[in-house]
């Protein structure tokens, strides 16, 4: 399958990626992160070799941007505003549950069980690899289980 | 629901063009002869399309110039301004750079000669062929006019039949007539 024109990729994913970033960062922080995500995507776009998993690819870039932003915020000692909504879909619940995890474990858990990305993509999102992503996800799940039984 | 605001959408489209990340930018421009889809690369204007189906045209632009096609108003602002002035009768020539590097040599030569036909004047297909050093290529020139990637800016509406008839126009004869009337070439 040939790579679609960037306009189509952008139109197909901009709304869900924006919503994802708002959930992760709050609406104010999400604005810069949204622009950064799609500028990164645009830079890398011509080097993609096929049009499979474009949605997952968009999420991995957005997750990485969100993680960087979280790191920056915790370094600054600021806390992001996190909106709470009724009728959250399952992955948002998961995100909420995973809130207490360290950033890498949280990202791995949410991307694996909430967004159903494979470990290779999650590894790419986290700037590591599939093995590290798998370890982070299972460490996160173990930590959540321990919390539940406490 | 956290919907993406039109403002944030526009900001991204502006930033993409500002950072020179696009193979080609396009936007829609309203004119008295209808809505035009106008596209530009970093080198200049590359496509003007009447009655465009945006979806098909975006695919076509991607095949011709590269996959990084994005609707973005900023890179088209210069063209929009010059087209507005032209239709208000305030502009007789276009100063915009054009990007016709994709075309074959002979087509480029014909279009270069075409660009020299002054506002309000007409030439025949045969004359234009002769100016491009191929006097017997009137028919080929007709085909090149029909496929002109930049109608209005490269004024194929100023090329008519040897008998004085308007003959044809990619955007429809009514538009050819309207443009020639605007320029005072038709009474």
């Amino acid at each position: 399958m040939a790579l679609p024109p960037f306009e189509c990729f952008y139109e197909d994913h901009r709304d869900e990626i924006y919503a994802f970033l708002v959930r992760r960062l709050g609406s104010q922080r999400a604005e810069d992160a949204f622009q950064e995500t799609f500028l990164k995507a645009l830079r890398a776009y011509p080097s993609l070799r096929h049009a499979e998993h474009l949605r997952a690819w968009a999420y991995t870039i957005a997750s990485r941007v969100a993680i960087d932003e979280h790191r920056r915020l915790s370094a600054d000692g600021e806390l992001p505003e996190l909106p709470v909504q009724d009728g959250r879909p399952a992955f948002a619940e998961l995100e909420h549950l995973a809130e207490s995890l360290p950033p890498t474990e949280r990202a791995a858990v949410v991307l694996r069980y909430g967004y159903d990305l494979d470990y290779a993509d999650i590894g790419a999102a986290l700037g590591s690899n599939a093995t590290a992503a798998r370890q982070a996800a299972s460490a996160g799940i173990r930590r959540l289980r321990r919390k539940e039984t406490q | 629901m956290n919907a993406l605001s039109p403002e944030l959408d526009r900001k991204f489209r502006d930033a993409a063009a500002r950072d020179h990340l696009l193979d080609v930018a396009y936007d829609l421009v309203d004119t008295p002869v209808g809505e035009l889809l106008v596209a530009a690369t970093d080198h200049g204007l590359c496509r003007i399309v009447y009655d465009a189906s945006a979806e098909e045209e975006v695919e076509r632009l991607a095949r011709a110039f590269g996959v990084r096609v994005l609707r973005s108003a900023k890179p088209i602002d210069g063209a929009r301004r010059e087209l507005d002035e032209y239709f208000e009768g305030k502009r007789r020539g276009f100063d915009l750079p054009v990007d016709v590097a994709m075309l074959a040599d002979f087509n480029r030569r014909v279009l270069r000669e075409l660009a020299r036909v002054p506002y309000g004047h007409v030439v025949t297909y045969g004359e234009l062929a002769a100016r491009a050093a191929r006097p017997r290529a009137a028919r080929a020139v007709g085909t090149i006019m029909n496929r002109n990637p930049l109608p209005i800016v490269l004024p194929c509406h100023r090329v008519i039949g040897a008998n004085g008839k308007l003959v044809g126009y990619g955007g429809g004869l009514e538009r050819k007539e309207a443009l020639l009337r605007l320029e005072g070439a038709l009474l």
Side-chain angles (χ1 to χ4, degrees), chain B residues 156-168:
Chain B
C156 57
H157 59 277
R158 294 176 196 152
V159 188
I160 62 171
N163 54 6
K165 292 224 169 81
L166 297 187
V167 184

Side-chain angles (χ1 to χ4, degrees), chain A residues 78-146:
Chain A
E78 285 180 54
L79 284 172
E81 146 221 352
L82 281 164
V84 177
Q85 299 167 359
D86 291 333
R88 284 161 161 250
F91 55 80
E93 286 294 351
L94 184 61
E95 234 178 301
H96 184 67
L97 268 177
E99 210 70 78
S100 59
L101 298 178
T104 307
E105 290 181 18
R106 180 176 56 212
V109 167
V110 170
L111 290 175
R112 180 66 196 97
Y113 298 100
Y115 290 94
D116 201 29
L117 299 193
D118 63 34
Y119 286 119
D121 278 339
I122 298 169
L126 301 176
S128 58
N129 54 46
T131 311
R134 189 189 299 274
Q135 282 164 357
S138 37
I141 292 294
R142 275 199 304 275
R143 205 187 294 268
L144 285 176
R145 288 216 176 103
R146 272 204 302 276

Side-chain angles (χ1 to χ4, degrees), chain B residues 118-146:
Chain B
Y119 184 91
H121 289 66
V122 291
V123 292
T124 66
Y125 293 94
E127 276 166 16
L128 190 60
R131 289 180 194 183
R134 290 269 298 276
R136 282 140 64 112
R139 194 171 289 271
V141 165
T143 305
I144 295 170
M145 293 305 101
N146 191 255

Side-chain angles (χ1 to χ4, degrees), chain A residues 3-8 10-11 14-15 18-19 22 31 34-35 38-39 42-43 45-46 85, chain B residues 2-4 8-9 11-13 15-16 18-19 21-22 26 58-59 62 67-71:
Chain A
L3 210 50
F6 190 83
E7 175 73 33
C8 305
Y10 174 67
E11 279 177 22
R14 60 182 171 186
D15 289 323
Y18 178 67
V22 169
E31 299 215 347
F34 174 81
Q35 181 162 316
F38 278 100
L39 288 178
L42 188 50
R43 280 197 186 89
Y45 201 66
Q85 299 167 359
Chain B
N2 295 304
L4 177 68
L8 186 52
D9 178 66
K11 265 182 164 167
F12 164 66
R13 293 174 184 278
R18 183 199 60 215
D19 292 356
L21 295 177
L22 302 179
Y26 72 94
V58 163
E59 291 279 354
V67 286
R68 291 179 300 180
V69 182
L70 192 68
R71 184 170 178 177

